[in-house]
Amino acid sequence: MTIDFPKRFLVETWGCQMNELDSQRLSSQLMQEGILPTSDPQQADLILLNSCSVREKAAHKAYSRLGEYRLLKEKRPGLLLGFCGCVAQQEGDQALKRVPDLDFVIGPARVGELRQILRQRLVGKRVVATGFPDAAERNYDMDTLSREGTHKGMVTIIEGCNKKCTFCIVPSTRGPEQNRPLDDILSEVRHLLDFGFREIELLGQTVNHWRDPATSADFAVLLDRVASLDGLDRLRFVTSYPRDFTQEMVDQFARHSNICPYLHLPVQSGSDRVLKMMGRGYATELYFDLIERLRKSRPGIALSTDIIVGFPGETEQDFQLTLDLLSRVRFASVYAFKYSPRPGTAALRLNQPEVPLEDADRRLQTLFSLQREIQTKINQALVGEVFEVLVTSLGKSAGTLTGRTPCHRVIHFEHDTATSYIGSLIDVKVERAYPHSLIGSTVLPGWPEQIDRSRSSLPIVS
Ligand code: SAH
Ligand code: F3S
């Protein structure tokens, strides 16, 4: 059967920001071939599924979505179906066996090869591109990337992960760490700022473990260099590893006002015993001390974290310590998950008793309700404050806009929506607070002329 060159593509994305950026890279390569995006699967003649395998549920979902797309393919045999992301890496050749009409498989480290893989398919070959080539052999294609949205540009600075957290599958799906050179990162950020993005988000599984391959400059140096670039309103980065967060990195929060007063710092558990079994390489004391120094460096910084409940061997007492940690730190938000056993991970061999599902469920709900109380109180204390809000979308109800405060809180407010303000900065006063969002009103009716834009982009260099 001859396969026609596709005209319309659709990329479906699951998982983290790295996957989101990978999907943008996949899309840009297709657009350079003259293939146009569509959000309607019925119109697409090339569908890519970018999968996530961090928890079992997400991995199962990948196969069930593939199953649904196969049904489309039965009706339209010319439809091309590509399997990408972390489950694709994990499965490799197996995926072609399990899903016989799959056209190709691409792991996260080989996203840059999509065009060649597609060409091979058109001459009859079903390629499985997995594994981890050296950074120098990887095709980043950054200058030609089709970035989604109008306000935030994501930039990968380090790929893969060298940590050995016993619950985590990421090191085997994204491979060992590969650092991108400082100059490449700076020129990509410059390019995005020139294009008009106001916010830059630096990405990595352990973003603060980055080092320049040539000079060994560390993440504190990179933050300093990026934050000093002209025209950068907001700088964020995700995900930081507590043990790798040096005082020089902490100091950058005081030095540059355009580094957002927000940090995602996964702790996973409040029990040192569990942290040890998780192989995290730090105890809660290090975490508490780091948070104190961060709050000293940037008073009012909003912190968020990841927590796993029901890790094998976790007792009620261990779980209580996690609740105590939440009460002590008072996070602005918490992402909490039930432990999910992953193939090939060391936690499977710990020889610890499994936590019964009902207990894990109950612990998760207890944690959520405590966090909800904490968040409600924190957010209520913000009523009356004015934030510079970056508009990210139209609001759900007519005549409203939605945006993010510098501390990354979601805020909805009424505004003239006849003009597109998406990607603009607007001063908004908080009127009401909910656990997960704020409601506000604009403070300067004559916006945008009256806003002093220099405020957020000038670094405070001491
Ligand atoms: N450094 C990564 C972490 C990837 S996994 C990052 O960029 O976020 C994201 C979160 O998923 C982890 O912090 C952890 O809390 C959770 N997680 C990872 N493996 C898990 C598992 N097996 N079961 C439950 N949650 C898990
Ligand atoms: Fe996973 Fe730990 Fe790395 S959570 S991504 S192994 S830092």
Side-chain angles (χ1 to χ4, degrees):
M1 186 184 86
T2 55
I3 301 169
D4 291 335
F5 194 79
K7 293 190 184 66
R8 295 253 173 201
F9 73 89
L10 180 151
V11 183
E12 177 173 327
T13 312
W14 291 81
C16 61
Q17 280 103 324
M18 334 276 154
N19 265 16
E20 256 178 65
L21 182 57
D22 284 346
S23 288
Q24 293 181 9
R25 294 172 61 198
L26 292 163
S27 302
S28 66
Q29 292 175 70
L30 296 173
M31 282 158 75
Q32 284 166 57
E33 295 290 304
I35 311 171
L36 297 176
T38 172
S39 54
D40 177 4
Q42 300 295 341
Q43 292 218 358
D45 38 24
L46 168 60
I47 295 180
L48 302 179
L49 181 68
N50 196 359
S51 60
C52 168
S53 68
V54 78
R55 282 167 290 274
E56 196 177 12
K57 218 170 168 179
H60 278 166
K61 188 81 195 166
Y63 272 107
S64 71
R65 289 299 287 159
L66 278 182
E68 287 163 33
Y69 285 134
R70 279 184 73 190
L71 295 178
L72 278 185
K73 205 169 159 142
E74 272 171 25
K75 287 188 212 132
R76 282 189 288 136
L79 173 67
L80 293 169
L81 191 53
F83 193 23
C84 315
C86 289
V87 186
Q89 167 60 39
Q90 217 180 312
E91 296 283 299
D93 293 320
Q94 274 305 104
L96 287 190
K97 286 190 195 122
R98 266 179 88 166
V99 186
D101 41 9
L102 203 55
D103 291 284
F104 51 85
V105 179
I106 308 182
R110 311 223 9 213
V111 159
E113 297 171 38
L114 172 63
R115 269 170 298 190
Q116 294 91 298
I117 293 166
L118 181 61
R119 247 171 255 136
Q120 299 240 334
R121 183 64 195 119
L122 297 179
V123 296
K125 272 203 187 133
R126 294 162 82 211
V127 175
V128 175
T130 50
F132 308 104
D134 279 348
E137 289 166 34
R138 297 188 192 186
N139 177 9
Y140 280 99
D141 253 346
M142 289 307 175
D143 287 346
T144 48
L145 198 49
S146 114
R147 312 274 180 168
E148 270 164 36
T150 45
H151 59 279
K152 182 175 81 171
M154 296 184 281
V155 176
T156 297
I157 66 163
I158 175 170
E159 291 199 288
C161 180
N162 285 357
K163 302 281 192 284
K164 295 189 172 70
C165 305
T166 57
F167 52 80
C168 187
I169 198 165
V170 171
S172 73
T173 58
R174 289 202 162 253
E177 275 181 5
Q178 299 270 359
N179 292 289
R180 288 187 67 209
L182 176 67
D183 290 344
D184 285 11
I185 297 169
L186 290 176
S187 61
E188 191 183 339
V189 173
R190 183 69 266 157
H191 170 78
L192 289 170
L193 295 175
D194 293 344
F195 185 73
F197 286 100
R198 290 185 168 273
E199 178 171 311
I200 295 295
E201 187 171 45
L202 305 176
L203 299 186
Q205 299 293 341
T206 50
V207 76
N208 58 330
H209 200 236
W210 175 88
R211 282 205 176 256
D212 181 36
T215 63
S216 287
D218 75 355
F219 186 63
V221 174
L222 179 70
L223 277 183
D224 193 32
R225 296 285 301 274
V226 174
S228 303
L229 292 173
D230 263 354
L232 175 56
D233 283 307
R234 292 185 174 190
L235 177 58
R236 303 183 187 284
F237 46 96
V238 76
T239 299
S240 296
Y241 197 73
R243 200 184 61 204
D244 296 331
F245 218 101
T246 64
Q247 184 58 38
E248 287 72 28
M249 294 172 201
V250 171
D251 292 342
Q252 299 309 316
F253 279 100
R255 193 173 160 83
H256 294 283
S257 65
N258 57 353
I259 298 183
C260 289
Y262 166 80
L263 184 67
H264 183 59
L265 199 60
V267 64
Q268 312 298 355
S269 170
S271 154
D272 289 339
R273 203 179 72 84
V274 173
L275 286 176
K276 202 162 184 193
M277 292 192 289
M278 288 177 164
R280 291 286 289 181
Y282 57 82
T284 47
E285 195 188 339
L286 177 143
Y287 193 84
F288 288 131
D289 173 62
L290 174 56
I291 280 179
E292 205 171 293
R293 287 184 288 121
L294 283 162
R295 284 182 165 154
K296 212 177 274 168
S297 182
R298 179 67 74 84
I301 188 169
L303 299 162
S304 67
T305 201
D306 289 344
I307 300 276
I308 296 178
V309 302
F311 186 78
E314 183 190 72
T315 61
E316 286 298 329
Q317 217 174 355
D318 293 317
F319 174 62
Q320 185 55 49
L321 289 168
T322 298
L323 296 180
D324 294 347
L325 181 135
L326 257 51
S327 302
R328 179 163 163 189
V329 177
R330 296 172 57 79
F331 292 102
S333 62
V334 170
Y335 303 88
F337 315 96
K338 258 184 301 182
Y339 168 71
S340 164
R342 306 306 297 123
T345 54
L348 302 178
R349 302 185 300 272
L350 279 177
N351 239 344
Q352 289 289 326
E354 265 178 42
V355 174
L357 200 57
E358 316 81 80
D359 290 351
D361 276 330
R362 180 180 37 77
R363 286 178 197 173
L364 195 61
Q365 291 318 315
T366 310
L367 186 151
F368 282 144
S369 66
L370 170 66
Q371 182 57 27
R372 197 181 161 85
E373 268 172 46
I374 294 172
Q375 260 171 243
T376 307
K377 282 195 191 129
I378 294 178
N379 286 354
Q380 269 164 1
L382 300 176
V383 172
E385 279 197 37
V386 175
F387 288 105
E388 188 179 59
V389 170
L390 181 63
V391 182
T392 52
S393 63
L394 289 176
K396 277 201 185 110
S397 34
T400 64
L401 295 174
T402 295
R404 293 266 185 177
T405 64
C407 48
H408 214 42
R409 292 182 168 93
V410 174
I411 185 158
H412 309 284
F413 57 99
E414 281 186 17
H415 201 38
D416 155 33
T417 52
T419 321
S420 174
Y421 291 108
I422 296 169
S424 306
L425 293 165
I426 303 185
D427 276 3
V428 181
K429 185 173 171 196
V430 181
E431 305 285 355
R432 270 175 295 143
Y434 297 100
H436 298 285
S437 62
L438 306 170
I439 306 290
S441 60
T442 46
V443 288
L444 292 173
W447 187 89
E449 290 74 18
Q450 297 172 32
I451 297 248
D452 171 8
R453 280 170 198 293
S454 59
R455 250 171 328 151
S456 63
S457 53
L458 272 189
I460 329 165
V461 178
S462 49

